[in-house]
């Protein structure tokens, strides 16, 4: 299992940008497929971006063209660059290992996440 810690959340106005960072602890990123998820209120956690072992990125429709997921092997991190943020992007963002070629998390235990708040 991959252990992670997320940072980079904050409060911005609509149209602003934030970059989230997921530090992967104790192992090498390139062995895993990773995803960024968000939870809004009491709703179910949804996948917003994922990156395969070969670095191919995938995005949910609502963030396509605005979010960019990438990994830095030297820093062992997975980043999520978010631009043109909208109020509906607000939520708690989580990083997690995923089952490759899917939006399913590989495990059911999650780190604390990082909060993103976008005001109109």
């Amino acid at each position: 299992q991959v252990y992670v810690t997320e940072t980079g959340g904050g409060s911005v106005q609509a149209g602003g940008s934030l970059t989230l960072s997921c530090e992967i602890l104790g192992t090498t990123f390139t062995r895993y497929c990773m995803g960024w998820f968000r939870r809004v209120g009491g709703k179910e956690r949804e996948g917003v971006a994922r990156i395969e072992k070969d670095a191919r990125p995938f995005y949910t429709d609502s963030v396509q063209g605005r979010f960019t997921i990438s990994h830095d092997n030297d820093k062992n991190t997975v980043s999520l660059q978010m631009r043109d943020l909208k109020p509906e992007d607000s939520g708690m963002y989580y990083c997690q290992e995923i089952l490759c070629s899917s939006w399913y998390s590989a495990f059911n235990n999650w780190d604390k996440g990082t909060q993103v708040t976008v005001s109109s």
Side-chain angles (χ1 to χ4, degrees), residues 2-120:
V2 172
Y3 293 92
V4 302
T5 183
E6 305 97 342
T7 57
S11 297
V12 296
Q13 291 191 325
S17 301
L18 283 172
T19 297
L20 308 183
S21 181
C22 170
E23 182 181 3
I24 300 163
L25 308 173
T27 188
T28 303
F29 158 76
T30 52
R31 295 175 54 193
Y32 302 94
C33 300
M34 299 294 297
W36 279 98
F37 296 77
R38 69 183 172 202
R39 170 173 277 171
V40 180
K43 296 182 180 179
E44 194 169 325
R45 201 178 274 114
E46 64 167 345
V48 296
R50 61 183 170 95
I51 188 164
E52 299 290 331
K53 292 180 184 180
D54 61 3
R56 285 179 300 143
F58 295 88
Y59 305 94
T60 193
D61 288 346
S62 63
V63 308
Q64 181 75 45
R66 300 187 298 118
F67 288 15
T68 302
I69 188 171
S70 61
H71 62 80
D72 184 326
N73 288 341
D74 292 337
K75 296 180 180 179
N76 223 28
T77 58
V78 178
S79 296
L80 185 66
Q81 295 176 287
M82 307 184 295
R83 61 178 180 83
D84 191 22
L85 283 161
K86 304 176 180 181
E88 52 264 41
D89 293 319
S90 297
M92 189 68 78
Y93 282 70
Y94 303 87
C95 175
Q96 177 64 282
E97 181 186 355
I98 59 169
L99 300 178
C100 295
S101 301
S102 83
W103 288 102
Y104 294 106
S105 61
F107 299 95
N108 205 29
N109 53 325
W110 299 78
D111 190 51
K112 64 184 183 317
T114 187
Q115 178 69 39
V116 172
T117 303
V118 185
S119 57
S120 57

